[in-house]
Amino acid sequence: MKTPFVTKNQIEEITKTIPTPFNIYDEKGIRENARAVNKAFSWNKGFKEYFAVKANPNPFLLKILQEEGCGVDCASYVELALSDELGFKKDDIMFSSNDTPASEFKYADALGVIVNLDDFTHIDFYEKAVGHFPKKMCCRFNPGGVYELSNGIMDNPGDSKYGMTKDQLFEAYQVLKSKGVEEFGIHAFLVSNTVTNDYYPTLAKTLFELIVELKEKTGISISFVNLSGGVGIAYRPDQKANDIAVIGEGVHKAFDEILVPAGLGDVAILTEMGRFMTGPYGGLVTTAIHEKHTYKEYIGVDACAVDLMRPAVYGSYHHVTVLGKEGAPEDHVYDVVGSLCENCDKFAVDRQLPKIEDGDILFIHDTGAHGYSMGYNYNGKLKSAEVLLKEDGSFKLIRRPETIKDYLATFDNLGIVDGLLK
Ligand SMILES: *Cc1c(COP(=O)(O)O)cnc(C)c1O
């Protein structure tokens, strides 16, 4: 059973001043989880988690993660600027972008952050854009083929646009070295949302063996291995959540077996988790406003795919709890839908739930990563608020809902909608 991190009473207190829909985040959960991550990798002297900003760019949450010792992983100008403004500096920022514009390489260079090159051709591109190379650089590896773990085929890196082939990777390090780069890292992101403790250890083994081979063949030593993201969460109540302590120990074992005997025991382990860091510690709070009985039974809520796109885009499962009816029999089958004029705007399809009445408040679980951040303004729907449930149980508005002025802000002084911008 999945239990919301807030009670119905707490939500009713919040809705006195902040109407639904809104995303709420659990500060206590985020902090405890970040501490567990750091503990799981504390055997590695250089360990650092670089939170993937795209998963949840709310600055209040980034500050919490910063206080817990995390850096950030950015992939765009805005993510870099936001991180810089929040006090993440140089080695606190990993710039893991792809199809990167010259202006963003220049900006990353000016900030002095760690740049992760997605492609071999980016070496020339970087040199033309920036004019010189930093002392430290990372390269992104793609092994191609399909990627299998003990529980079957996980994904298809051969189909993915990211990273360099092994030959390109080995050549990239040698070219970069000839251009004055002194310190090197390797990065790979092969599978998303893995719900198994095997993914990081298996990936680590692949990368560790590769850097031993690189050292033997070229004499180049890698100083950090970036395992990137992909550690998943249990969206479904029947899934067993990953155990980060077990994952950390699995990477430790591969490290001791492969890197230590090769004289590479100083290599730092870095991660770029997004989903695992904040996913379970967010929920979308929404009110049932309609029920509709046609060929199916529908519950219409006041949130829509603008607030959470994953079900519409990927058909993803997000668990739904009807607040205050946690123990009630789940004897109704509903589609829980939003108001977009798109039939994919359904938070749940054929879901067994307790009987829902108008005014009931639903908690849609696991929206803390790739939730609000993926949202858009389709159908002219305005994005909703974000609320932080603080460690002491009090709450704070950490982003107000959008207004029509926000939506139309880019028409300023164009003389077409000035009446709405006043
Ligand atoms: C999206 C992304 C991440 C985070 O992925 P999660 O699945 O949220 O862990 C990390 N690194 C890069 C380069 C990414 O694109």
Side-chain angles (χ1 to χ4, degrees):
M1 192 175 135
K2 279 175 92 81
T3 317
F5 53 78
V6 286
T7 61
K8 186 174 182 221
N9 283 345
Q10 282 174 308
I11 290 293
E12 281 171 350
E13 200 49 43
I14 296 170
T15 54
K16 282 181 191 163
T17 50
I18 305 170
T20 62
F22 54 83
N23 267 287
I24 185 165
Y25 305 110
D26 173 20
E27 175 173 12
K28 184 159 174 282
I30 292 173
R31 285 191 188 277
E32 284 173 1
N33 182 64
R35 285 172 201 164
V37 167
N38 283 325
K39 183 154 175 257
F41 289 91
S42 57
W43 53 269
N44 184 266
K45 213 165 63 243
F47 175 76
K48 196 173 178 81
E49 149 68 9
Y50 291 82
F51 175 67
V53 173
K54 72 164 191 248
N56 196 323
N58 188 296
F60 288 93
L61 302 188
L62 296 178
K63 269 301 203 197
I64 290 172
L65 290 165
Q66 184 180 50
E67 284 165 17
E68 297 300 334
C70 300
V72 281
D73 161 38
C74 300
S76 68
Y77 163 73
V78 171
E79 289 180 357
L80 284 171
L82 175 62
S83 301
D84 179 59
E85 174 68 18
L86 294 177
F88 292 96
K89 299 294 170 194
K90 299 189 184 290
D91 281 6
D92 299 335
I93 302 180
M94 182 72 60
F95 186 51
S96 284
S97 63
N98 71 95
D99 188 21
T100 314
S103 58
E104 295 188 5
F105 276 142
K106 270 195 229 164
Y107 187 47
D109 176 74
L111 295 178
V113 307
I114 307 171
V115 173
N116 184 17
L117 292 178
D118 178 69
D119 188 42
F120 185 75
T121 61
H122 287 189
I123 300 175
D124 271 354
F125 187 87
Y126 189 96
E127 191 165 32
K128 282 205 189 85
V130 178
H132 57 257
F133 286 91
K135 290 269 170 281
K136 187 195 282 199
M137 279 197 125
C138 187
C139 293
R140 184 165 184 167
F141 173 54
N142 180 337
V146 293
Y147 199 73
E148 279 185 68
L149 293 174
S150 53
N151 50 350
I153 291 180
M154 301 295 291
D155 216 331
N156 200 348
D159 252 1
S160 120
K161 67 172 177 167
Y162 307 110
M164 311 184 198
T165 67
K166 183 176 159 185
D167 288 349
Q168 291 172 337
L169 185 77
F170 278 29
E171 200 184 336
Y173 290 125
Q174 294 174 81
V175 173
L176 289 171
K177 192 175 176 195
S178 74
K179 292 182 182 290
V181 180
E182 292 167 3
E183 205 188 324
F184 301 98
I186 188 169
H187 169 283
F189 186 170
L190 307 185
V191 195
S192 231
N193 193 29
T194 56
V195 189
T196 156
N197 293 326
D198 288 348
Y199 171 61
Y200 262 5
T202 310
L203 172 65
K205 185 167 176 288
T206 307
L207 297 180
F208 294 167
E209 284 166 351
L210 198 69
I211 71 174
V212 171
E213 186 185 337
L214 176 76
K215 180 146 183 237
E216 282 165 0
K217 290 202 170 136
T218 67
I220 291 173
S221 291
I222 295 289
S223 66
F224 58 96
V225 171
N226 184 342
L227 299 174
S228 191
V231 177
I233 60 173
Y235 285 103
R236 291 174 180 274
D238 58 352
Q239 282 178 311
K240 191 165 182 289
N242 285 332
D243 184 339
I244 197 67
V246 173
I247 292 173
E249 259 324 290
V251 176
H252 192 183
K253 185 161 167 277
F255 190 94
D256 282 352
E257 282 171 9
I258 302 164
L259 292 189
V260 173
L264 291 168
D266 286 341
V267 167
I269 304 298
L270 316 181
T271 57
E272 283 175 351
M273 291 180 278
R275 194 184 314 271
F276 188 79
M277 301 305 291
T278 53
Y281 315 109
L284 175 59
V285 179
T286 182
T287 304
I289 55 172
H290 291 287
E291 54 182 284
K292 173 166 178 164
H293 319 280
T294 52
Y295 306 103
K296 295 185 86 172
E297 294 294 302
Y298 294 99
I299 294 295
V301 295
D302 60 0
C304 64
V306 164
D307 303 291
L308 174 67
M309 277 178 90
R310 296 184 73 256
V313 176
Y314 307 124
S316 310
Y317 182 95
H318 278 264
H319 199 63
V320 175
T321 297
V322 185
L323 292 179
K325 297 189 173 173
E326 284 84 348
E330 295 179 338
D331 52 5
H332 284 66
V333 177
Y334 293 117
D335 282 11
V336 178
V337 304
S339 55
L340 291 191
C341 302
E342 284 289 327
N343 196 38
C344 63
D345 186 13
K346 296 177 176 171
F347 292 114
V349 175
D350 297 332
R351 188 74 57 87
Q352 280 202 266
L353 289 164
K355 177 160 176 49
I356 296 175
E357 329 270 346
D358 282 358
D360 276 352
I361 296 180
L362 277 56
F363 181 92
I364 303 179
H365 291 248
D366 301 316
T367 65
H370 312 296
Y372 182 99
S373 63
M374 285 177 84
Y376 59 154
N377 281 122
Y378 200 54
N379 256 172
K381 290 285 177 178
L382 303 175
K383 297 188 75 184
S384 51
E386 293 183 289
V387 176
L388 182 67
L389 181 67
K390 301 211 282 190
E391 283 183 291
D392 63 6
S394 65
F395 67 92
K396 178 184 164 86
L397 183 69
I398 57 171
R399 190 191 305 245
R400 65 158 172 82
E402 277 182 342
T403 65
I404 190 168
K405 278 190 197 168
D406 298 316
Y407 181 80
L408 297 174
T410 44
F411 293 106
D412 46 4
N413 301 318
L414 295 179
I416 184 82
V417 288
D418 294 0
L420 293 171
L421 288 169
K422 280 198 195 95

